[in-house]
Amino acid sequence: MPVPVLPPSTALAELATAGEHHAWLAGTTGVFTSRPSAPLVLSWTGETWREEPLPRLPAAASLSGVSATAPDDVWAVGNSAGRPLVLHYDGTTWQVVGTPRITWAKAVTAVRHDDVHVVGTGRDALHYDGTAWRLRAALSSARESLQTITAAGPRHVWAGGGGLAGAGPATYSYPVLVRWDGAAWTEVAGPRTERGHVARLAATASDDVWLGHVRDTEGLRVHRWDGTQWNPVPAPEDTGRLSVHGVAAGWTWGVRATRGTFETRPAFHRWTGAGWTAVALPDDLARASASHVGLATTGATTWAYLKTAAGVHVLRHTLP
């Protein structure tokens, strides 16, 4: 799909959808340059992707997450000047929304227009109830953080990340998983994974939650919640050395590398119910080295993004 020309310093963070015909891509420009970084949001107009006019900010800023309940209710979060940055789109304009302070905002999920959660580092998360933002205790340790969040309803919100234990050379990371029941966050048992962190969560229903777990340099391992227990999902089979970076409901994405090279080709796989099937990319992108790979899906329509030396690319996949 057509995308505006973006500077090479652009870093992409997350996609969100609201129905089959509306999508948003959040990221940051000016990364690793002498210029201050600035938030970026692209939106799908039905014909092309366009860059959204965002409020001017007094300091450098970045975006790490985006979520939407409707075309006129979109939330994007990140950080600026040591404070969480929360932006809201009401169908006409983007506005900066003031919130209580948390250490670092990393992810957002909008369940409804009056039910929004933001998570990140530090013990507290943010919750909007339609009237005001409030701090909600989410973690038990200051050495833990949350980096992904998903919701299957007001009482079924999941957030995951990791924590650090030990000291010095003996320091190691461990996965953290918490759940919001409509009143409070509580820690819950995840898959039996002792090390690493929860990198990605995606829910379609209270009894259908997809979880991606990373340990050290290994690729993502996928598990699926059936309402009672976590079940491992076999990894996609692929040629070359595959590293899975993310999981959505019925999709994975990542990169593959040919042995002996440092180039990473984009790789997307769709769950058929019995296994994974590779989804073909346009020839020029299938051969390109890629980074910043991601995806969001409504079920029938799936949007994916990736960044190559030629710039940012956004793809659309529609089930027949």
Side-chain angles (χ1 to χ4, degrees):
M1 296 290 108
V3 179
V5 176
L6 299 171
S9 60
T10 301
L12 305 176
E14 192 173 27
L15 262 167
T17 62
E20 300 295 327
H21 307 293
H22 301 278
W24 296 265
L25 174 58
T28 307
T29 61
V31 178
F32 300 124
T33 68
S34 59
R35 304 188 312 274
S37 60
L40 168 75
V41 176
L42 301 180
S43 64
W44 174 247
T45 66
E47 297 181 354
T48 186
W49 286 84
R50 71 177 181 191
E51 185 173 349
E52 289 284 288
L54 301 181
R56 287 185 175 271
L57 299 173
S62 62
L63 289 180
S64 55
V66 62
S67 182
T69 67
D72 59 355
D73 186 36
V74 187
W75 299 85
V77 303
N79 298 275
S80 179
R83 295 187 62 90
L85 171 65
V86 178
L87 301 175
H88 181 250
Y89 180 66
D90 61 7
T92 303
T93 60
W94 287 88
Q95 296 181 337
V96 176
V97 178
T99 70
R101 189 167 188 163
I102 60 174
T103 307
W104 198 260
K106 291 189 174 183
V108 58
T109 187
V111 186
R112 300 179 310 212
H113 73 280
D114 60 353
D115 191 2
V116 183
H117 297 268
V118 177
V119 298
T121 58
R123 288 189 172 95
D124 293 323
L126 294 171
H127 180 228
Y128 178 64
D129 61 8
T131 302
W133 287 88
R134 293 180 172 84
L135 294 173
R136 301 291 191 181
L139 299 172
S140 58
S141 169
R143 301 188 74 187
E144 296 177 343
S145 66
L146 299 170
Q147 65 183 63
T148 179
I149 188 169
T150 188
R155 294 182 296 173
H156 301 282
V157 182
W158 301 74
L164 292 176
T171 300
Y172 65 91
S173 63
Y174 59 89
V176 173
L177 186 65
V178 295
R179 186 174 181 178
W180 173 265
D181 61 6
W185 289 100
T186 55
E187 186 173 351
V188 295
R192 302 187 71 178
T193 50
E194 298 177 356
R195 301 289 179 96
H197 65 276
V198 177
R200 189 76 181 184
L201 290 165
T204 64
S206 60
D207 58 356
D208 185 30
V209 183
W210 297 72
L211 179 149
H213 166 262
V214 173
R215 176 173 175 174
D216 300 327
T217 58
E218 300 174 5
L220 211 70
R221 295 183 178 181
V222 180
H223 294 78
R224 192 175 182 183
W225 173 256
D226 63 8
T228 302
Q229 64 182 8
W230 291 99
N231 301 295
V233 179
E237 295 182 3
D238 210 315
T239 58
R241 190 171 66 253
L242 178 67
S243 177
V244 179
H245 292 173
V247 60
W251 288 81
T252 65
W253 64 89
V255 295
R256 70 170 69 87
T258 304
R259 295 190 181 279
T261 72
F262 294 99
E263 294 185 333
T264 53
R265 306 286 195 268
F268 297 90
H269 294 82
R270 185 170 63 85
W271 181 251
T272 64
W276 298 100
T277 181
V279 178
L281 298 175
D283 289 343
D284 57 334
L285 295 181
R287 296 190 299 266
S289 187
S291 62
H292 297 277
V293 183
L295 176 150
T297 183
T298 64
T301 299
T302 300
W303 292 96
Y305 66 84
L306 56 98
K307 184 181 176 183
T308 70
V312 171
H313 308 271
V314 180
L315 308 173
R316 183 173 62 185
H317 178 278
T318 304
L319 292 175

